[in-house]
Amino acid sequence: MAWQVFRLTCKRDIRYKFSIPRYSSIFSAYLSRYLSSIQENEHGPLKASAGDKITGKVCFSTLSYDLGQYSKFTNCLAIRSSRAREDLGACESSSLVQAYWDRASISKGWVRPRKAHAAVSSPITKSRVFSSLGRSTSHHLERAQDLPTLEHEGKETVEADILETQDGRILYLGMTSSELLYTLLNLQLVAYEPLVDLSIKLLKSPLMRFTVYRRPLLGILKKTAYSHFCAGEDVAEASGTLKRMSELGLKSILDYSLEDAIDNISCDNNLKGFLQTVHQAREMSKQLVSFSCVKITALCPLPLLERISSLLRWQHMHPDFKLLWQEDVLPIFTDESPMYHVKSPPDPLTNQEEQHLTLAKDRLWKLCRACDEAGLPLLIDAEYSSVQPAIDYYTYLAALEFNRNGFPLVYGTVQAYLKDSLPRLSLAAIEAGKRQINFGVKLVRGAYITRESALAASLGAESPVHSNIKKTHDCYDTCAAFMMQNAINGRGAVVLATHNIDSGRAAAFKAQTLGLSKGNPRLQFAQLKGMADTLSLALVHAGFQVSKYLPFGPVGHVLPYLIRRAEENRGLLGNSLTDRSCIRNELKRRAHWQV
């Protein structure tokens, strides 16, 4: 069969070879009319020359797409028209060639005409938007007008999608096929709940005390879940993971994985581990590590935190109840905060308990000073509601001491699945502004739903958690918008820790709307290692600062952390369909073009 080859040559010496069957009179006539209608453009004349045989390929710079017969060509173009235009854009093609693809795609009905955008020219998409604050959620909000006015709940808007979450060719450009295959395998394993349940039972089994049982099981764990979710057994081993993250444009948050402490001896040992991590991170490039992180439950005995929380709750309900050890901090409670944890006046702290309270504060101060010297902001994790008031107390004490410079050093954590999260966040942020304090927050959805609901039910109280996931999403997005508004005004900073693509997309669009520059350190994103890689890489390609939480430590040492993460994030582990689908499609694409 005879074939005809058109070569379109731009002035920039970028060549695109289109192989077209001679018998396709419709397509040939269309292309001829288009070529004859264009003489010159800003890049110079467009020339067409005839060839002798088909090559069966369309070449965009170094990219080659095997289109085969003309019927396959039209089908492929209809499906991948937007991708083809992206290839041309990536090659810095002339506006003439771009216009050709736009006109061809629109005339055939393959894509919609693109509307002009003042800020972006990316594809448009319909996504969830922030819900409005129809009224102040607490009478404490003296400056409710400072809260962002957003779209009404239930409405949808058409907004620019600046995140390329579907094109694996772009997202996974820096990852090898073996890395993608390994990631896909692990995601498939943790998405199978019966296997996760069985693994948790085996790892919590009394047989783990015996070496003959423990050693092979930990060996399997290290090759699968541990290597997928953790960075290594020590900082030296983790540094290799940090460098690999940096190659992908990601920064890292070194998470020295420790569980709750029960006495001061374990707290002192934990502090040594945290300080060692900060000192070793200090020796690394600032391009590798973005934050340090700590659990207050590892620096203060858990029973003491529960006692402090109960006393703070009772004092909030009865303002005449005085706590002699209490220092002035930012507001911890609002009228919406749950108070069912305490039914009667708690006993005051003993002298020994007050000494332990001071010791815990001293540990936190040592860690904050070390982070300050290293130029490494500190993220303080949130916990369950029975101890969270005490954690907020310590967090706000540290913020008042160390957050008086240009950027916050200490970041607290707000869990958006709690009904009182928005009023509590706004109340503390407004008070921090009055005191000239830079208010730093890490925003998460939360991971203790089952525990919180069970505790409330056992006490005959309403659950403190939102009744459905949509309300949690709306609360998260509204809190994110509120903190981004504070960031643009120079009054705060936020780390959006989310694995939800819709929230990431909405936050990126909101940041662009506010004019919050993508390189501004007051807005950063974070995800756990091994989770939501599609979102992480999409945000990086969009220009935002993104970090990955990297737990590290010996396998046996990190084992309680892995079990807790598996139990807390059981639904999240299985909700990796987007990642798995994107990786699977990219592996298929690579296999196809290699053939």
Side-chain angles (χ1 to χ4, degrees):
M1 182 181 293
W3 301 88
Q4 183 176 11
V5 176
F6 289 100
R7 277 196 176 88
L8 309 182
T9 306
C10 300
K11 191 175 181 180
R12 290 184 178 180
D13 196 30
I14 301 175
R15 299 169 182 264
Y16 309 92
K17 187 192 309 180
F18 294 83
S19 304
I20 303 168
R22 182 184 296 275
Y23 67 82
S24 176
S25 58
I26 297 177
F27 185 88
S28 298
Y30 175 82
L31 182 59
S32 298
R33 288 198 302 271
Y34 182 79
L35 294 176
S36 62
S37 66
I38 302 296
Q39 297 298 324
E40 287 190 0
N41 69 0
E42 58 182 350
H43 298 283
L46 179 70
K47 299 178 181 179
S49 59
D52 50 2
K53 293 190 69 178
I54 188 170
T55 60
K57 294 186 178 181
V58 174
C59 302
F60 306 129
S61 185
T62 60
L63 299 176
S64 179
Y65 281 56
D66 187 358
L67 301 177
Q69 301 291 341
Y70 172 68
S71 59
K72 294 182 180 180
F73 174 87
T74 54
N75 291 336
C76 181
L77 187 58
I79 296 171
R80 303 185 181 179
S81 57
S82 60
R83 180 176 295 180
R85 290 189 290 117
E86 291 165 3
D87 291 335
L88 292 173
C91 299
E92 297 183 358
S93 66
S94 69
S95 60
L96 174 61
V97 180
Q98 183 69 51
Y100 163 74
W101 281 97
D102 286 342
R103 185 180 298 185
S105 300
I106 294 170
S107 66
K108 295 297 182 182
W110 296 327
V111 297
R112 294 173 296 172
R114 293 184 297 168
K115 297 181 180 179
H117 290 276
V120 294
S121 59
S122 55
I124 55 178
T125 185
K126 185 178 292 185
S127 65
R128 188 180 70 251
V129 297
F130 303 117
S131 59
S132 67
L133 290 174
R135 57 179 178 84
S136 173
T137 52
S138 171
H139 71 272
H140 293 289
L141 298 182
E142 299 176 8
R143 293 170 60 193
Q145 66 273 15
D146 290 348
L147 297 178
T149 302
L150 304 169
E151 298 294 334
H152 290 289
E153 184 176 355
K155 288 187 177 181
E156 290 183 326
T157 185
V158 176
E159 59 187 31
D161 181 10
I162 63 176
L163 300 185
E164 293 287 351
T165 57
Q166 299 299 322
D167 196 342
R169 178 183 54 83
I170 296 175
L171 290 178
Y172 305 116
L173 182 64
M175 298 182 68
T176 64
S177 296
S178 59
E179 287 178 317
L180 292 177
L181 187 60
Y182 183 77
T183 300
L184 180 60
L185 174 62
N186 279 296
L187 289 177
Q188 289 286 162
L189 290 175
V190 299
Y192 187 57
E193 285 200 17
L195 180 61
V196 175
D197 293 337
L198 176 61
S199 300
I200 292 175
K201 289 181 180 179
L202 291 175
L203 294 173
K204 296 175 72 173
S205 169
L207 295 175
M208 288 293 289
R209 296 194 300 265
F210 301 100
T211 304
V212 67
Y213 178 89
R214 179 184 178 88
R215 182 174 297 174
L217 200 58
L218 291 184
I220 296 173
L221 182 67
K222 184 173 183 179
K223 295 294 184 181
T224 53
Y226 176 87
S227 61
H228 183 71
F229 294 109
C230 301
E233 298 207 25
D234 50 36
V235 173
E237 186 176 333
S239 62
T241 305
L242 267 67
K243 293 177 181 177
R244 184 69 185 107
M245 293 292 170
S246 180
E247 292 172 357
L248 296 174
L250 299 164
K251 292 187 177 183
S252 300
I253 302 172
L254 279 177
D255 184 2
Y256 184 54
S257 302
L258 292 172
E259 293 305 297
D260 302 338
I262 57 174
D263 55 41
N264 283 295
I265 295 176
S266 57
C267 290
D268 290 335
N269 292 332
N270 292 342
L271 176 62
K272 292 178 182 178
F274 284 125
L275 291 174
Q276 183 180 8
T277 301
V278 173
H279 293 153
Q280 291 174 322
R282 183 179 181 179
E283 299 174 358
M284 300 179 183
S285 169
K286 290 186 177 181
Q287 299 300 319
L288 298 180
V289 183
S290 55
F291 292 92
S292 181
C293 62
V294 66
K295 289 165 57 73
I296 296 295
T297 54
L299 297 180
C300 181
L302 190 62
L304 180 57
L305 290 174
E306 292 174 341
R307 294 267 289 122
I308 295 172
S309 296
S310 295
L311 287 164
L312 290 172
R313 280 195 169 96
W314 189 261
Q315 194 268 343
H316 175 75
M317 291 187 293
H318 303 83
D320 294 336
F321 184 74
K322 302 299 181 183
L323 302 174
L324 298 179
W325 48 265
Q326 185 180 21
E327 299 183 49
D328 182 35
V329 296
L330 301 177
I332 296 175
F333 301 106
T334 69
D335 287 350
E336 290 85 352
S337 298
M339 295 291 158
Y340 52 78
H341 302 75
V342 55
K343 300 293 186 181
S344 59
D347 294 332
L349 294 182
T350 64
N351 290 336
Q352 187 180 38
E353 286 175 326
E354 289 190 20
Q355 292 175 0
H356 293 171
L357 183 149
T358 303
L359 288 175
K361 176 185 173 182
D362 291 342
R363 295 186 192 102
L364 180 58
W365 254 238
K366 289 179 181 178
L367 182 58
C368 289
R369 291 191 187 101
C371 289
D372 194 17
E373 293 172 0
L376 203 61
L378 179 64
L379 302 176
I380 298 180
D381 289 343
E383 301 292 342
Y384 27 90
S385 63
S386 60
V387 298
Q388 189 59 44
I391 293 172
D392 287 340
Y393 175 76
Y394 278 114
T395 300
Y396 293 157
L397 271 179
L400 290 172
E401 178 70 20
F402 295 98
N403 286 11
R404 295 187 178 276
N405 296 323
F407 289 92
L409 177 75
V410 178
Y411 287 68
T413 298
V414 170
Q415 302 176 97
Y417 74 163
L418 296 174
K419 296 175 183 177
D420 72 330
S421 55
L422 177 58
R424 201 156 36 85
L425 169 65
S426 54
L427 184 63
I430 290 172
E431 183 63 25
K434 292 178 180 179
R435 301 191 189 194
Q436 302 298 310
I437 300 298
N438 262 290
F439 189 67
V441 166
K442 179 182 71 172
L443 185 61
V444 302
R445 276 176 169 76
Y448 301 101
I449 295 179
T450 302
R451 178 172 184 156
E452 297 291 1
S453 299
L455 176 60
S458 68
L459 297 174
E462 182 182 348
S463 173
V465 178
H466 287 299
S467 59
N468 58 63
I469 189 63
K470 183 182 183 303
K471 290 182 179 180
T472 298
H473 289 330
D474 291 341
C475 182
Y476 186 96
D477 292 342
T478 306
C479 289
F482 171 71
M483 285 307 301
M484 282 191 281
Q485 186 66 58
N486 278 359
I488 199 67
N489 294 333
R491 298 197 304 264
V494 61
V495 177
L496 299 179
T498 178
H499 300 102
N500 185 282
I501 288 182
D502 288 336
S503 286
R505 181 182 292 114
F509 180 72
K510 185 67 177 180
Q512 180 176 272
T513 303
L514 292 173
L516 190 61
S517 63
K518 297 175 182 178
N520 192 327
R522 292 184 180 274
L523 170 63
Q524 302 196 42
F525 293 84
Q527 290 83 37
L528 294 171
K529 180 183 182 296
M531 302 194 67
D533 289 343
T534 298
L535 175 59
S536 301
L537 295 173
L539 287 165
V540 166
H541 284 290
F544 292 97
Q545 298 188 48
V546 185
S547 299
K548 283 288 193 179
Y549 258 82
L550 302 184
F552 73 96
V555 181
H557 181 77
V558 180
L559 182 59
Y561 168 87
L562 290 174
I563 293 175
R564 181 170 62 88
R565 282 295 185 189
E567 291 175 334
E568 293 170 0
N569 299 308
R570 189 183 307 273
L572 184 60
L573 291 173
N575 192 24
S576 58
L577 182 60
T578 300
D579 277 353
R580 285 181 283 148
S581 177
C582 287
I583 293 174
R584 193 180 295 111
N585 290 338
E586 174 61 10
L587 287 172
K588 289 180 180 179
R589 187 194 69 82
R590 292 184 183 186
H592 175 70
W593 299 127
Q594 287 177 0
V595 174

